[in-house]
Amino acid sequence: MNTPKKVLTCLGLITCVALVGCGQKISPEEAAYRLEPLAPSLGSCEEGAQHCAQVLDCRDDKQPCLQRKISVDVDACAKSDDRDKCQNLADRLPTVSLVSDPYNLVSATFTGEPPEAELVSDDLRLPWDLEFLPDGTMLITEKKGRVVAMDASGKALTALKVSVIDTHEAGLMGLAIDPDFNSNRYVYLAYTYKLDDTDPSFAKPEQWNFQRVLNKIERWELNDGLLENPLVLKDDIPGSIEHTGMRLEFGPDGKLYASTGDANTDVLSQDIAFLGGKVLRMNPDGSVPDDNPIPGSYVYSRGHRNPQGLAWHPESGDLYTAEHGANRFDEINRIKPGANYGWGSFECHRSLNVKPLSDTVEFPLLCFPTWNLSPSGSTFVNDSSSPWHGNFFVAGLRGRHLHRYAFDGDSVTLDEIFYVSDKWDYSLPGRKGKVGRRLRDVEYHAGALYVIGDKFGLVKLTPGKAQQ
Ligand SMILES: [Ca+2]
């Protein structure tokens, strides 16, 4: 771990806070808005030390950190128009500028030029996963069970129906295209199904649990516009109406990876025999690779709550995940084979005091204790001709925007709001803002980013004019 770089990153965040906080006099209403809710400070460092340094100390020691609050007079600050007083608070809590607003759009600002946006299609219903075929045709899953094929102009070519159960966070989700699609025509789908629909309790989805609702991964063939010849690669993956994960992606190693949610079971994400709350790795035929970290097991990493983003850094080849936390505490993790990311006992850097862990917890690369990004589909841009090469883009659901990061190992070198749809404009006290739509997935193809989301459709983003 490169501590000096991390400190620089944290100083950058503090600078960001200063820019946001110092632009104008803060009204009492806005101060209250910015300072609520305050997340507990994490760490065991001396009072008065910089907040981010405390977190780093915890990470470096790999020890469970004590949970405590920095003692600040929030009420006094909120009622005061003394900006210096609030700024001191901001210096100590570098995330204070990132509190969620009523619409969960963070109050950080763009630091780069916004992209040009073009609406490709608004004819999608709860789109979940987007992938490109080698010829540039887009395939899009919709949660209710459709697979839409669409050309670059947004014209829907075919709409194929897969029988799934669809409720809350369950339905048709992950989609992957075989790296050898041109020769084998294989398309991979992940979706939710019922084990026994004769059970009368199925009338109430709230009673569904992972013993009744499951997820499966299937391989299909796409021939002449039809999906046919389904083959189950893995079923009996724990499901639920919530926390289903189920992003599918092929890794650079040619293996099929799947993220799975904890299926509302919390501690079972620690259990290697339970395939929820994991990153799974399989051969394209559904068998367990010989070189998986746990012999004979699909489990590649564990201790995840609800990961919905899987992407590999174009240079390092490292796998990164974007994961939903429990009411904030979202995480971005750099995945090491066989590692434990803590959910069930830890989230972010704090212990949940549920059950002691017997092994080491990997703390997240990024944690969001004070606002909700609700990260979903994610991608790295791997195109040296693009100004975004090497950047990590994350579609935000509650965050309602596309977020952009750059990493250098464990250091975060870029962290900004990249794109917010402008369908709704509104004003907050003291500032203008936009509220976007819930974004579910993002992919890069031929110089552009393509983003899908609920009630949002499909938007194509190209570099702003200064970057063209
Ligand atoms: Ca995708």
Side-chain angles (χ1 to χ4, degrees), residues 129-131 175 247-249 441-443:
D129 204 335
L130 162 68
E131 293 291 331
L175 166 70
R247 185 72 58 185
L248 295 180
E249 295 283 353
D441 195 20
V442 56
E443 294 289 342

Short mmCIF file of all heavy atoms in Angstrom, two decimals, residues 129-131 175 247-249 441-443, ligand 1:
data_model
loop_
_atom_site.label_atom_id
_atom_site.label_comp_id
_atom_site.label_asym_id
_atom_site.label_seq_id
_atom_site.Cartn_x
_atom_site.Cartn_y
_atom_site.Cartn_z
N ASP A 129 -28.82 -4.62 -18.13
CA ASP A 129 -27.44 -4.87 -18.56
C ASP A 129 -27.33 -4.62 -20.06
O ASP A 129 -28.23 -4.99 -20.83
CB ASP A 129 -27.03 -6.31 -18.24
CG ASP A 129 -25.52 -6.48 -18.10
OD1 ASP A 129 -24.78 -5.66 -18.68
OD2 ASP A 129 -25.10 -7.42 -17.42
N LEU A 130 -26.25 -4.00 -20.44
CA LEU A 130 -25.99 -3.64 -21.84
C LEU A 130 -24.67 -4.25 -22.26
O LEU A 130 -23.69 -4.19 -21.52
CB LEU A 130 -25.92 -2.11 -21.96
CG LEU A 130 -25.25 -1.52 -23.22
CD1 LEU A 130 -26.10 -1.79 -24.46
CD2 LEU A 130 -25.05 -0.01 -23.04
N GLU A 131 -24.64 -4.87 -23.43
CA GLU A 131 -23.39 -5.39 -24.00
C GLU A 131 -23.41 -5.17 -25.50
O GLU A 131 -24.48 -5.09 -26.12
CB GLU A 131 -23.22 -6.89 -23.70
CG GLU A 131 -23.03 -7.21 -22.23
CD GLU A 131 -21.70 -6.74 -21.66
OE1 GLU A 131 -20.72 -6.65 -22.42
OE2 GLU A 131 -21.66 -6.42 -20.46
N LEU A 175 -25.97 -10.06 -18.31
CA LEU A 175 -25.82 -10.41 -19.72
C LEU A 175 -24.33 -10.39 -20.04
O LEU A 175 -23.60 -9.48 -19.63
CB LEU A 175 -26.55 -9.37 -20.57
CG LEU A 175 -26.28 -9.33 -22.07
CD1 LEU A 175 -26.87 -10.56 -22.74
CD2 LEU A 175 -26.89 -8.06 -22.67
N ARG A 247 -24.46 -9.49 -11.84
CA ARG A 247 -23.78 -8.96 -13.02
C ARG A 247 -22.93 -10.08 -13.60
O ARG A 247 -22.32 -10.85 -12.85
CB ARG A 247 -22.90 -7.77 -12.63
CG ARG A 247 -22.23 -7.06 -13.81
CD ARG A 247 -23.21 -6.26 -14.62
NE ARG A 247 -23.89 -5.25 -13.81
CZ ARG A 247 -24.87 -4.47 -14.28
NH1 ARG A 247 -25.27 -4.58 -15.52
NH2 ARG A 247 -25.45 -3.59 -13.47
N LEU A 248 -22.93 -10.21 -14.90
CA LEU A 248 -22.09 -11.18 -15.60
C LEU A 248 -21.05 -10.43 -16.43
O LEU A 248 -21.39 -9.46 -17.11
CB LEU A 248 -22.91 -12.06 -16.55
CG LEU A 248 -23.95 -13.00 -15.96
CD1 LEU A 248 -24.63 -13.77 -17.09
CD2 LEU A 248 -23.32 -13.96 -14.97
N GLU A 249 -19.81 -10.89 -16.41
CA GLU A 249 -18.78 -10.29 -17.26
C GLU A 249 -17.73 -11.36 -17.57
O GLU A 249 -17.40 -12.19 -16.70
CB GLU A 249 -18.06 -9.13 -16.56
CG GLU A 249 -18.92 -7.93 -16.26
CD GLU A 249 -19.23 -7.05 -17.46
OE1 GLU A 249 -18.65 -7.30 -18.55
OE2 GLU A 249 -20.07 -6.14 -17.31
N ASP A 441 -26.40 0.75 -15.98
CA ASP A 441 -25.21 0.13 -16.56
C ASP A 441 -24.54 1.10 -17.51
O ASP A 441 -25.18 2.03 -18.04
CB ASP A 441 -25.60 -1.16 -17.31
CG ASP A 441 -24.38 -2.03 -17.62
OD1 ASP A 441 -23.32 -1.85 -16.97
OD2 ASP A 441 -24.47 -2.89 -18.51
N VAL A 442 -23.26 0.87 -17.73
CA VAL A 442 -22.46 1.70 -18.64
C VAL A 442 -21.48 0.79 -19.37
O VAL A 442 -20.90 -0.11 -18.76
CB VAL A 442 -21.75 2.84 -17.87
CG1 VAL A 442 -20.89 2.30 -16.74
CG2 VAL A 442 -20.89 3.68 -18.82
N GLU A 443 -21.33 1.02 -20.65
CA GLU A 443 -20.34 0.30 -21.46
C GLU A 443 -19.66 1.28 -22.39
O GLU A 443 -20.26 2.28 -22.81
CB GLU A 443 -21.00 -0.82 -22.29
CG GLU A 443 -21.58 -1.96 -21.48
CD GLU A 443 -20.53 -2.84 -20.82
OE1 GLU A 443 -19.35 -2.79 -21.25
OE2 GLU A 443 -20.89 -3.57 -19.88
CA CA B 1 -22.83 -4.65 -19.19
#
